[in-house]
Amino acid sequence: MTADRRQPMTIGSAGVSALDGCPPTQETIEVMSTLDIDVSGHRSRNLTMNMVRGADKIVVMEKFHKDLIMNACLATTAKIHLLNEFSSDPAKADGEIAIPDPIQMSAEFYMGVLEMIKGCMPSLVKSLTDYRITELPDPVPRGHVSFGICGHNT
């Protein structure tokens, strides 16, 4: 058996305007249950400067998020990506088309957003195959490659 030589990677979720400790919306819980995923125990947390500094890759849903993080944290554009950059649809993978935040929208809108996100996952996961996934602490320890998904209320 060979040793796992991949770098450790931490993954987390944080929002640019999230309140720490809030549960997911009922719509989120229902849409994710269609994939047999229970997110009812998830709690939101606000993105911190330490998270941004410690991250090697940050994935956001909207250009507004990218701009806000770059301006507030002086983060480089190289580490911040729009999720749609990983889209399987070439028309959407130009990095300029945002995945909208479904908060306060209909269940159908949530389902549409889920489909957009699912279309990005294969390419995103492939881009992370050199890493071993662990949990995201705050602050992120030095030497760990980290990855986060950022939205308004993540």
Side-chain angles (χ1 to χ4, degrees):
M1 188 171 191
T2 60
D4 186 352
R5 295 173 194 242
R6 295 174 294 171
Q7 297 179 51
M9 177 179 57
T10 54
I11 295 179
S13 170
V16 295
S17 60
L19 297 175
D20 286 332
C22 293
T25 63
Q26 188 59 40
E27 293 86 357
T28 299
I29 293 169
E30 290 171 9
V31 166
M32 294 305 290
S33 73
T34 66
L35 300 174
D36 292 326
I37 298 173
D38 179 4
V39 296
S40 61
H42 176 76
R43 295 297 177 261
S44 63
R45 62 183 176 164
N46 200 27
L47 185 69
T48 67
M49 294 280 265
N50 284 336
M51 289 177 191
V52 173
R53 281 189 205 110
D56 291 309
K57 182 179 277 192
I58 300 170
V59 179
V60 300
M61 292 174 59
E62 299 181 78
K63 188 174 184 313
F64 158 76
H65 300 138
K66 183 175 183 176
D67 294 341
L68 183 68
I69 295 167
M70 285 173 31
N71 292 331
C73 303
L74 302 176
T76 65
T77 55
K79 75 182 334 184
I80 306 173
H81 305 271
L82 277 171
L83 182 56
N84 255 356
E85 292 174 27
F86 300 96
S87 177
S88 58
D89 180 348
K92 295 179 182 174
D94 67 5
E96 292 301 317
I97 299 172
I99 294 178
D101 190 332
I103 197 77
Q104 298 182 337
M105 301 300 281
S106 68
E108 293 79 23
F109 193 86
Y110 271 79
M111 189 59 78
V113 170
L114 175 61
E115 291 304 316
M116 288 181 215
I117 293 170
K118 282 172 47 180
C120 299
M121 289 299 102
S123 179
L124 177 59
V125 169
K126 185 176 180 183
S127 78
L128 303 172
T129 56
D130 291 336
Y131 304 104
R132 185 175 62 247
I133 298 171
T134 60
E135 196 174 321
L136 180 64
D138 179 20
V140 175
R142 291 209 179 280
H144 277 234
V145 175
S146 61
F147 161 76
I149 295 183
C150 177
H152 288 293
N153 300 300
T154 309

